[in-house]
Amino acid sequence: MQTNRFAAGAAYVDGVFKPMAEAVIPVNDFGYRRSDVTYDVVGVWEGNFFRLDDHIARFRTSMNALRLKPAESDDDIKEILHRLVRLTGLRSAYVAMDCLRGVPVPGKPRHPANARNYLVAYAVPWISIVTEEQYERGVHMIIARTLRIPPESFDPRVKNFHWGDLTAGLFEALDQGADTAVLLDTDGNVTEGPGFNVFSITDGVVATPIRGGLDGMTRQSVFELCEELGIPCVARAVPADELRQADEIFTCTTAGGIMPVSRIDGRIMGNDRPGVISSKLKDLFWARRAEGWHATPVNYDVPVEEAAGA
């Protein structure tokens, strides 16, 4: 009986398709040794990419900001992602695309400008950063003591693997018995959490930080959903105390959608369950997704040259 060797995940590494378990990068690449890499992640749900063109456009913007120029065009990247999902056969998948800086060409100065750039991408079964239990009861969050890397040092709108501060925040949350953390900037305003944007709701108005975090695709979707529902939603500075005293809080990300919060710094909000507005937005998000909102159907038709393998 023939089995699909890509069922656990498919990868594309520097021009070659292979099973996820075989995907490797050189340990001396700048992408690994210096975190000189940018990435993006797009979700596939029930056979559809969500905001695929938006994700690829943001990926290209991040690459340009870091002066990374892989051989693949945006159309090439789009087809690579389709092929990865097609190889796995997955209907719901977590699909990542990375651009790494390699090593400088021999004989030239050891400067990033002299290093070749290349693409890595993969598709694996759907990943969520929250559990079903956390969805049900709401996420327990703290405001970390660790501060977010300032935009003056590195623009957080360029997706990156500089997670030292975010990782420290996660361990702070663990030590306090919470699920996750959100980080502040040097002015005491909320930025973002480990892999997610954050929103507060006070007196019926939804607010999210305007500075210090990623311009997330799910974040943009929240603005659109709030407009549809007639709920005021603004991007502005959100002080820590405002978040601590909010009526409701929710986070959002590709790997999880909209995720309500029920506790902040130990304070129980509402009835220790997701709030009314947060839940309404979460339910509408998935309902609209099911209707084909911002959807690009995965091309599952297998070309002849793929029938025999990758």
Side-chain angles (χ1 to χ4, degrees):
M1 180 178 177
Q2 188 175 12
T3 59
N4 180 7
R5 63 195 185 102
F6 297 100
Y12 171 92
V13 181
D14 202 7
V16 180
F17 290 89
K18 57 186 65 179
M20 186 66 181
E22 298 174 13
V24 296
I25 62 171
V27 297
N28 62 337
D29 275 8
F30 281 5
Y32 169 69
R33 300 208 64 79
R34 298 183 178 180
S35 192
D36 196 350
V37 55
T38 189
Y39 75 105
D40 218 292
V41 175
V42 59
V44 170
W45 191 256
E46 296 182 350
N48 292 295
F49 285 104
F50 183 62
R51 306 192 82 125
L52 177 60
D53 289 340
D54 292 335
H55 279 281
I56 290 179
R58 185 176 65 181
F59 185 41
R60 181 62 64 178
T61 297
S62 294
M63 288 190 285
N64 289 340
L66 296 183
R67 302 191 188 190
L68 291 166
K69 297 180 180 179
E72 295 85 353
S73 68
D74 288 357
D75 285 342
D76 291 335
I77 295 171
K78 189 180 301 185
E79 176 50 36
I80 288 165
L81 301 186
H82 274 276
R83 185 170 178 179
L84 287 170
V85 179
R86 184 164 62 239
L87 285 168
T88 66
L90 293 168
R91 303 294 298 179
S92 295
Y94 177 100
V95 186
M97 55 198 107
D98 306 344
C99 187
L100 296 84
R101 208 180 310 274
V103 294
V105 177
K108 288 194 174 184
R110 196 169 175 78
H111 188 284
N114 297 321
R116 189 175 67 88
N117 312 150
Y118 66 96
L119 199 70
V120 171
Y122 63 85
V124 295
W126 176 257
I127 295 172
S128 175
I129 66 172
V130 294
T131 66
E132 287 299 324
E133 177 192 359
Q134 291 166 350
Y135 266 127
E136 182 68 24
R137 62 158 164 81
V139 174
H140 297 171
M141 176 186 288
I142 65 160
I143 297 177
R145 295 187 304 274
T146 303
L147 299 181
R148 187 75 173 103
I149 296 171
E152 291 79 8
S153 296
F154 193 91
D155 187 349
R157 293 172 299 179
V158 176
K159 284 183 72 71
N160 62 84
F161 291 157
H162 306 315
W163 267 52
D165 51 354
L166 298 173
T167 298
L170 283 170
F171 276 106
E172 286 187 45
L174 178 68
D175 290 344
Q176 296 183 43
D179 302 318
T180 193
V182 65
L183 276 61
L184 305 178
D185 63 17
T186 54
D187 294 323
N189 294 319
V190 176
T191 61
E192 60 185 351
F196 59 78
N197 293 115
V198 63
F199 290 77
S200 66
I201 305 174
T202 302
D203 296 331
V205 178
V206 179
T208 192
I210 195 170
R211 184 174 183 272
L214 178 72
D215 291 339
M217 293 303 162
T218 313
R219 176 180 182 267
Q220 177 59 36
S221 300
V222 169
F223 281 106
E224 296 171 9
L225 293 173
C226 283
E227 183 177 6
E228 181 178 331
L229 292 171
I231 298 172
C233 185
V234 296
R236 59 168 172 76
V238 177
D241 283 344
E242 179 180 332
L243 189 70
R244 289 191 181 99
Q245 299 304 318
D247 299 326
E248 297 182 38
I249 300 170
F250 65 88
T251 67
C252 68
T253 182
T254 291
I258 293 172
M259 304 162 290
V261 175
S262 58
R263 296 185 185 185
I264 178 70
D265 279 350
R267 172 186 166 239
I268 295 174
M269 295 179 292
N271 61 353
D272 205 15
R273 286 293 182 272
V276 174
I277 296 176
S278 301
S279 296
K280 183 180 293 186
L281 287 168
K282 180 192 74 172
D283 293 344
L284 181 59
F285 175 78
W286 289 110
R288 300 286 279 116
R289 290 281 299 271
E291 294 168 359
W293 185 49
H294 292 305
T296 300
V298 175
N299 178 9
Y300 287 103
D301 293 333
V302 181
V304 174
E305 65 271 18
E306 288 185 29

